[in-house]
Each structure stands twice: as C-alpha cells, then as structure tokens.
Amino acid sequence: GVLEEAEFYNITDLIKLLKERIHSRDNSFGKSNGKHVYRVLQCHEDELTQMVSTMSDGWKFEQLINIGSQYQYGNEDHAEFLCVVSREYPNAVSSEKVTEPTDRAKVLQQLGSRM
C-alpha cells in the first residue's frame, strides 16, 4: 500500500508517519468501526487548490508533502506535492443498502455530459 510506495520512493517523513499511524492503529483500545483507505495523489502547485476543493465527499485531507521538482518549466520552478487523503469504510456491510456519499466530481461530470 502507501507504506510500500513511500519506502520505494524513500520518502522518509511519510514512512515515519505511516509507521506511527499503523502502530497507533494496531495498539489502540477504542478501535474504529471501519476500515481506513488511504490514497496518495501527486500534483503540481497550480493544481493543488482545485484538487482539494473538488475532492469527493467522504475523503479527508491528511497531509501535504512537498517533493519539489527536478524539472525546470520556463523561467520558474513549479513545486510538486504528494497529497495524502483518507476515507473510512464500515467493516461489516449489513443487509441494508449502504448509501454512499454523493461524489461531486461524478455528479458534475454527468451534468456536463447531458449538455
């Protein structure tokens, strides 16, 4: 998962954070009622605001990591970031239908395709 990717790219701050979170998750007394799913998104600084503002319902911003950029775009250097987001899913699915939060991006995409 995310830990393996962080170790592959040798992102020491993220590795340390993930190991701390895993340790606290495994040793907590008040266990969560659900499963946390984490995603790591890569973006440029000019895409960051849009990405966070259009994040689907239910996803929570966790951390932003500046990874810099080895590329030079014109006269200015654009920073690159890893954005860590998470979402909690219930452990047990009951016989009733689980209602998903509205995915704003999908709704907007569907509205746009109707025009």
Side-chain angles (χ1 to χ4, degrees):
V2 175
L3 179 58
E4 288 80 12
E5 288 185 39
E7 288 173 339
F8 178 80
Y9 290 107
N10 197 26
I11 305 171
T12 55
D13 291 339
L14 182 58
I15 293 168
K16 181 181 176 186
L17 174 71
L18 290 170
K19 286 184 177 181
E20 288 172 359
R21 294 267 174 108
I22 289 169
H23 184 268
S24 66
R25 176 200 67 197
D26 292 344
N27 296 320
S28 66
F29 292 108
K31 296 220 182 247
S32 172
N33 291 334
K35 172 183 172 185
H36 273 88
V37 175
Y38 291 88
R39 296 285 183 257
V40 178
L41 309 167
Q42 181 179 358
C43 63
H44 293 279
E45 64 183 336
D46 54 343
E47 303 166 331
L48 186 59
T49 304
Q50 181 182 3
M51 184 196 64
V52 172
S53 66
T54 58
M55 204 172 358
S56 301
D57 289 346
W59 287 96
K60 182 175 116 180
F61 174 81
E62 294 289 339
Q63 185 177 14
L64 185 67
I65 303 162
N66 184 348
I67 58 172
S69 175
Q70 64 269 30
Y71 302 107
Q72 188 76 18
Y73 300 99
N75 293 335
E76 40 188 277
D77 186 25
H78 294 279
E80 285 190 30
F81 296 92
L82 294 178
C83 181
V84 182
V85 296
S86 71
R87 185 172 183 176
E88 187 172 351
Y89 289 95
N91 276 334
V93 178
S94 65
S95 59
E96 300 174 21
K97 183 180 177 187
V98 176
T99 57
E100 285 288 320
T102 305
D103 186 341
R104 289 180 286 192
K106 286 182 183 177
V107 171
L108 291 173
Q109 201 172 33
Q110 289 171 350
L111 288 173
S113 65
R114 294 180 192 158
M115 296 183 139

